[in-house]
Amino acid sequence: MLKLTYTETSFHLECLAQSLEEWVAQRVILTLRVGQSLSVEPSTASFLLPANLPGLEQLKTQVQWEEREILALCASDCEYIEVTLSGSWLSDGSENVQGVFVTTLSDHTEFLLHKLWVAAQACASVLSE
């Protein structure tokens, strides 16, 4: 399962071994116990990866053969590729931008996508220094 946590200023991508159904069920139980509201709805999430990132061609191949319904790649411009995922958005139901997006892909694709995202974060931090 991939979990993307969105805050007002950024997002964090995690690759979890837990099933999507199990994770959502635990999240529902937690929000009930603490008295918070929870909204779960089908949605999409997008983020950018550098177009010159090593391993991106392998992801493109995965998309063609396995993940067409859940994962799409689109050239954003000459420097970035937009990754769009289909899944579920979990939030407190308000109109703010904070929440969690979850989806399930093949284990190989999830691992590869997480690896690429980590590499992109490392490149971004080197460039900002």
Side-chain angles (χ1 to χ4, degrees), residues 12-128:
H12 182 78
L13 190 145
E14 295 175 79
C15 190
L16 304 175
Q18 192 174 22
S19 77
L20 179 102
E21 294 80 8
E22 208 177 359
W23 186 86
V24 170
Q26 288 177 346
R27 187 72 177 232
V28 168
I29 291 168
L30 175 66
T31 56
L32 285 171
R33 288 185 179 161
V34 297
Q36 293 180 339
S37 61
L38 179 67
S39 171
V40 181
E41 57 186 290
S43 187
T44 59
S46 297
F47 60 94
L48 299 175
L49 290 175
N52 63 351
L53 201 58
L56 200 54
E57 289 303 316
Q58 187 179 0
L59 182 63
K60 289 177 183 178
T61 302
Q62 281 300 115
V63 170
Q64 287 179 328
W65 294 108
E66 291 185 35
E67 311 293 357
R68 280 182 259 182
E69 302 295 318
I70 301 170
L71 173 63
L73 302 175
C74 180
S76 175
D77 57 29
C78 63
E79 293 184 28
Y80 291 97
I81 298 292
E82 182 179 24
V83 177
T84 303
L85 298 164
S86 296
S88 299
W89 175 252
L90 289 83
S91 69
D92 63 5
S94 66
E95 295 296 319
N96 67 27
V97 295
Q98 297 177 347
V100 176
F101 176 85
V102 290
T103 191
T104 302
L105 302 157
S106 71
D107 291 343
H108 179 73
T109 304
E110 288 179 4
F111 175 77
L112 180 58
L113 195 54
H114 183 257
K115 181 179 158 185
L116 291 169
W117 180 78
V118 168
Q121 298 307 300
C123 289
S125 67
V126 167
L127 291 174
S128 67

